[in-house]
């Protein structure tokens, strides 16, 4: 319990740090950001848009601490400002309408990669020197060396443009009304295959190698020898004795990997024009929509911190040693 | 902070004497994986250095009609704008490798400072530095990169700065753990008692004993630097006037290379990034295997014994 509270405090601190970073960045940016944006928008900005920006970037002549307090307050009440590219939609609405797609893509890819990678790692470590152990790791390191977005481009070109097996952009066909019917869901699934596949391909190697290495350490433990001496079946020893204990670091990695997967998903979304927040982030960058950029950063940070907290809860349940300390 | 401590199963054992460190280099060259990686790296470094000789003139010069497939005149074809892809790729190596290695070196430097200070001074310094490290480690990297790069003035130095800020934390954590275990050894206690200065103990007593860990973190940082730079530039957040592998991909995607089927515009640069990262990973893998005997294959172990 104490451990959970301590970690919760840490996550809150981390979140506070990212809010503060968000607050400080525009205020220390050289020059006047609002006039720069105004110049780049070439007169398409309305006066209330400018006023909104001035307020957000603290150019409203209030003392700094007062601005800070009101900024933190507005973040915690879910008010992230007004988007510039989609004026006058609030940033929280823009993010809310798209985060579902990112969660779907990232979640599916993360779960597939983690399950498959761990299984491969377990088998590779169990059969030291086998095909899986000697041929797979270098191959996966090689695939993992490609930038996410480049692999995505390659997959898009090969399977989308050249072969035409899979749709090339967006999460579902234009003209289809979203709903929980078979036609729509299968359409979403076919659109999901390529983006998810690229993320899985790049991230699976890390899982496999991590699992393999801990598993090798675990199989050297005395209780494995003991289990073998008792004459238990190899598969039972492999999964119930060795893998079960080697899985612990992988659980912690799961929370950490989320940040990487989200980063990868952002770029993958850009390539496939997948309507998640990553694609929105690119739109925001191109449209100099600073409030939206900051909002997306905060949302992703909050999501990653929350996921890590949940992993902590699971970990305490899984590893009794943590509870004693 | 237990739950966020990743058990690093690959933490290599410490090469205790200097003679073993010299052994590490020789073992690296003996290892097939490492040798392949080193040769690949040397090849790319050579290509980058010789870019002005191999492809003289401004690489972004338009010297043919657009979207030409690879031919005798343009070995790797031409982009939609009519630039020679081979020249762009060769010149791109310069910026990409420069940024990658600079980021790797600086980030590792920062990580060494933080890790050593944390391990040597302990107590409150350690707590504070570990807290900062963990926060940086937990904040999602790419979104952080993007907002930092979006707010700072564009340019190569911004890219480097931003990548260092987001890249040091992982290494600092690994180095701290390693330094902490060395801090507890008797020879460090002896150095403290003989009244050596903290800086000298940190850099002359502790650091040389963790050379292999520093090496793996350095390689990891370089891989991160090259990949993250490409990602950042692909999003259009780098300096799009600089020729690098990332900006090549950015322009390829902007000019619709995917939809028009001009695969030669985006394949070479991406392949180069992957090959360099792969070469670094190979060396890294080999260092891991050499310093962590458990990971060595059974065959190699038997040979060693026999």
């Amino acid at each position: 319990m104490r451990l959970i509270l301590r970690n919760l405090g840490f996550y809150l601190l981390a979140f506070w740090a990212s809010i503060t970073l968000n607050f400080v960045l525009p205020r220390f940016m050289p020059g006047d950001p609002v006039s720069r944006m105004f110049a780049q928008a070439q007169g398409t900005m309305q006066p209330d848009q400018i006023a909104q920006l001035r307020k957000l970037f603290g150019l409203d002549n209030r003392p700094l601490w007062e601005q800070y307090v009101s900024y933190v307050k507005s973040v915690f009440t879910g008010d992230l400002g007004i988007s510039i590219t989609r004026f006058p939609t609030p940033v929280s609405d823009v993010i809310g309408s798209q985060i579902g797609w990112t969660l779907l893509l990232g979640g599916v890819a993360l779960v597939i990669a983690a399950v498959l990678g761990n299984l491969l790692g377990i088998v590779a470590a169990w059969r030291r020197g086998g095909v899986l152990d000697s041929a797979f790791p270098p191959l996966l390191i090689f695939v993992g060396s490609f930038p996410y977005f480049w692999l995505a481009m390659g997959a898009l070109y090969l399977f989308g443009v050249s072969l035409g097996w899979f749709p090339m952009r967006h999460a579902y066909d234009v003209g289809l009304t979203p709903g929980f019917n078979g036609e729509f869901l299968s359409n979403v699934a076919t659109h999901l295959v390529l983006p998810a596949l690229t993320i899985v391909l790049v991230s699976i190697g890390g899982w496999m190698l991590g699992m393999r290495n801990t598993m090798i350490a675990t199989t050297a433990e005395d209780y494995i020898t003991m289990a073998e001496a008792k004459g238990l079946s190899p598969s039972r020893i492999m999964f119930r004795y060795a893998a079960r204990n080697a899985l612990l670091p992988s659980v912690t990695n799961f929370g950490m990997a989320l940040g990487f997967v989200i980063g990868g998903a952002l770029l993958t979304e850009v390539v496939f024009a997948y309507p998640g927040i990553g694609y929105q982030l690119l739109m925001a960058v191109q449209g100099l929509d600073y409030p939206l950029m900051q909002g997306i950063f905060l949302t992703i940070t909050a999501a990653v911190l929350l996921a890590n907290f949940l992993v902590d809860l699971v970990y305490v349940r899984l590893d009794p040693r943590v509870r004693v300390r | 902070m237990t739950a966020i401590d990743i058990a690093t199963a690959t933490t290599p054992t410490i090469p205790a004497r200097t003679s073993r460190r010299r052994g590490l280099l020789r073992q690296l060259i003996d290892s097939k994986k490492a040798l392949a990686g080193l040769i690949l790296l040397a090849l790319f470094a050579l290509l980058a250095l010789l870019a002005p000789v191999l492809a003289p003139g401004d690489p972004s010069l338009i010297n043919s009609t657009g979207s030409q497939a690879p031919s005798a005149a343009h070995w790797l074809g031409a982009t939609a704008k009519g630039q020679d892809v081979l020249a762009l790729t060769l010149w791109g190596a310069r910026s990409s490798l420069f940024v990658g290695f600079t980021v790797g070196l600086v980030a590792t430097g920062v990580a060494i400072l933080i890790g050593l200070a944390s391990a040597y001074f302990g107590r409150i310094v350690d707590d504070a530095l570990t807290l900062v490290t963990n926060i940086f480690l937990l904040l999602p990297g790419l979104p952080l990169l993007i907002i930092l790069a979006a707010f700072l003035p564009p340019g190569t130095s911004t890219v480097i700065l931003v990548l260092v800020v987001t890249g040091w934390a992982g290494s600092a954590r690994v180095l701290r753990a390693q330094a902490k275990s060395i801090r507890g050894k008797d020879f460090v206690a002896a150095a403290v008692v003989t009244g050596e200065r903290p800086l000298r103990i940190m850099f002359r007593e502790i650091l040389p004993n963790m050379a292999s860990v520093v090496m793996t973190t350095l390689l990891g940082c370089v891989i991160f630097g090259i990949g993250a730079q490409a990602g950042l530039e692909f999003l259009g957040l780098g300096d799009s006037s600089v020729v690098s592998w990332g900006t090549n991909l950015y322009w390829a995607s902007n000019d619709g290379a995917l939809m028009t089927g001009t695969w030669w515009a985006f394949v070479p640069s991406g392949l180069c990034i992957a090959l360099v990262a792969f070469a670094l990973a190979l060396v890294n893998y080999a260092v891991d295997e050499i310093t962590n005997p458990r990971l060595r294959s059974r065959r190699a172990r038997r040979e060693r014994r026999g």
Side-chain angles (χ1 to χ4, degrees):
Chain A
M1 200 58 213
R2 256 193 62 215
L3 178 91
I4 292 180
L5 282 181
R6 214 175 72 170
N7 280 353
L8 184 65
F10 169 71
Y11 294 137
L12 285 177
L13 195 68
F15 191 57
W16 168 79
S18 59
I19 294 177
T20 308
L21 183 75
N22 250 347
F23 175 82
V24 166
L25 263 181
R27 283 169 182 79
F28 281 77
M29 187 162 79
D32 176 2
V34 178
S35 19
R36 201 171 86 180
M37 265 178 253
F38 186 69
Q40 260 156 334
Q42 288 164 348
T44 50
M45 263 190 205
Q46 267 118 53
D48 29 341
Q49 270 174 302
I50 296 170
Q52 149 77 15
L53 275 177
R54 289 204 171 275
K55 183 174 154 254
L56 185 77
F57 293 155
L59 299 164
D60 51 359
N61 299 324
R62 281 181 299 163
L64 211 58
W65 65 269
E66 208 175 290
Q67 293 174 24
Y68 184 63
V69 170
S70 74
Y71 182 75
V72 173
K73 211 183 280 169
S74 68
V75 166
F76 274 102
T77 50
D79 173 18
L80 297 170
I82 309 275
S83 162
I84 292 171
T85 45
R86 293 192 169 195
F87 195 78
T89 324
V91 166
S92 45
D93 286 6
V94 177
I95 296 173
S97 68
Q98 283 168 321
I99 196 163
W101 292 115
T102 301
L103 287 178
L104 178 72
L105 174 60
V108 167
L110 182 63
V111 169
I112 294 180
V115 170
L116 219 58
N118 277 323
L119 274 178
L120 285 173
I122 291 170
V123 178
W126 197 249
R127 306 233 163 91
R128 283 299 297 282
V131 181
L132 206 56
D133 187 37
S134 50
F136 249 63
L139 188 72
L140 286 178
I141 294 180
F142 182 61
V143 175
S145 310
F146 287 96
Y148 272 84
F149 61 93
W150 188 80
L151 217 58
M153 286 165 94
L156 179 65
Y157 177 73
L158 199 63
F159 298 111
V161 180
S162 292
L163 297 171
W165 290 355
F166 291 101
M168 292 186 285
R169 44 186 295 121
H170 211 71
Y172 50 88
D173 282 335
V174 185
L176 218 58
T177 32
F180 271 101
N181 49 47
E183 192 198 356
F184 181 71
L185 290 183
S186 69
N187 196 276
V188 167
T190 49
H191 280 80
L192 193 62
V193 172
L194 283 186
L197 184 74
T198 54
I199 302 177
V200 169
L201 270 182
V202 179
S203 53
I204 199 170
W207 289 107
M208 181 182 172
L209 286 181
M211 187 63 192
R212 172 184 171 265
N213 291 349
T214 16
M215 184 79 178
I216 287 171
T218 319
T219 46
E221 296 279 352
D222 289 341
Y223 59 80
I224 301 292
T225 321
M226 173 70 183
E228 274 169 357
K230 281 199 295 187
L232 296 179
S233 75
S235 72
R236 190 181 159 88
I237 303 175
M238 179 160 94
F239 287 108
R240 301 292 294 273
Y241 283 69
R244 211 177 150 181
N245 286 296
L247 210 57
L248 277 176
S250 274
V251 173
T252 340
N253 278 346
F254 201 81
M256 289 289 199
L258 200 77
F260 290 107
V261 165
I262 286 184
L266 295 185
L267 289 169
T268 311
E269 278 174 15
V270 169
V271 174
F272 287 97
Y274 204 78
I277 50 175
Y279 188 57
Q280 193 59 54
L281 188 59
L282 177 78
M283 297 289 120
V285 168
Q286 285 174 349
L288 294 170
D289 191 343
Y290 289 95
L292 187 54
M293 270 186 248
Q294 294 195 319
I296 291 176
F297 170 65
L298 277 185
T299 312
I300 295 175
T301 309
V304 169
L305 294 177
L306 186 71
N308 272 285
F309 183 61
L310 292 179
V311 166
D312 281 356
L313 292 181
V314 173
Y315 198 91
V316 171
R317 180 84 197 74
L318 288 179
D319 190 351
R321 284 171 300 183
V322 186
R323 268 174 276 166
V324 180
R325 241 186 272 168
Chain B
M1 231 53 82
T2 346
I4 29 181
D5 273 346
I6 298 185
T8 36
T10 50
T11 310
T13 46
I14 321 140
R17 280 154 290 138
T18 36
S19 65
R20 267 201 58 188
R21 262 192 301 130
R22 214 176 297 125
L24 176 74
L25 276 182
R26 200 181 312 124
Q27 279 176 329
L28 262 185
I29 293 169
D30 281 346
S31 150
K32 259 184 240 149
K33 283 187 192 117
L35 191 65
L38 289 173
I39 289 176
L40 208 55
L41 278 182
L43 190 71
F44 271 103
L46 205 66
L47 286 179
L49 281 176
L50 293 180
V53 184
L54 295 170
D58 182 7
S60 43
L61 196 72
I62 293 168
N63 51 14
S64 73
T65 50
S67 302
Q68 272 188 10
S71 63
H74 299 280
W75 288 3
L76 293 176
T79 64
K81 289 200 198 67
Q83 297 150 324
D84 185 46
V85 176
L86 181 65
L88 282 177
T89 311
L90 284 174
W91 282 82
R94 306 189 119 208
S95 163
S96 289
L97 291 180
F98 170 73
V99 171
F101 279 90
T102 314
V103 167
L105 287 173
V106 179
T108 309
V110 173
I112 288 175
L113 274 182
I114 303 245
L116 282 181
S118 199
Y120 179 80
F121 293 108
R123 283 195 288 272
I124 185 133
V125 178
D126 186 20
D127 287 345
L129 289 177
T130 308
L131 188 69
V132 176
T133 312
N134 281 334
I135 287 179
F136 269 93
L137 211 52
L138 212 53
L139 294 182
L142 190 77
L144 180 62
L145 269 180
I146 290 175
I147 68 156
L148 284 175
F151 275 108
L152 296 169
T156 306
S157 46
T158 301
V159 172
I160 293 176
L161 177 78
V162 165
L163 291 179
V164 168
V165 167
T166 48
W168 62 272
S171 316
R173 177 204 202 98
V174 175
L175 292 176
R176 170 187 166 268
Q178 189 68 27
K180 229 177 146 82
S181 76
I182 298 173
R183 174 71 173 90
K185 299 252 187 272
D186 288 343
F187 71 89
V188 178
V192 174
V193 172
T194 47
E196 282 188 39
R197 282 174 294 114
L199 272 181
R200 191 183 153 80
I201 298 178
M202 275 155 62
F203 288 97
R204 298 299 296 273
E205 305 282 353
I206 299 180
L207 189 61
N209 281 299
M210 42 196 262
S212 67
V213 192
V214 172
M215 176 118 166
T216 41
T217 53
L218 173 68
L219 293 171
C221 280
V222 176
I223 295 177
F224 160 81
I226 292 177
Q229 183 211 12
L232 211 54
E233 287 175 336
F234 177 67
L235 287 173
L237 281 169
D239 186 352
S240 50
S241 62
V242 171
V243 175
S244 79
W245 291 332
T247 49
N248 288 349
L249 292 171
Y250 168 74
W251 287 117
S253 150
N254 249 21
D255 297 340
L258 282 173
M259 296 304 152
T260 53
T262 49
W263 53 268
W264 53 87
F266 69 88
V267 167
S269 292
L271 212 56
C272 288
I273 296 174
L275 283 175
V276 171
F278 180 58
L280 290 164
L282 275 181
V283 179
N284 216 345
Y285 199 73
V287 173
D288 245 9
E289 272 192 357
I290 290 166
T291 49
N292 189 354
R294 267 189 179 167
L295 294 178
R296 246 176 257 153
S297 63
R298 292 220 170 106
R299 190 168 40 86
R301 245 186 290 169
R302 213 172 300 134
E303 273 169 18
R304 190 165 283 278
R305 227 180 282 146

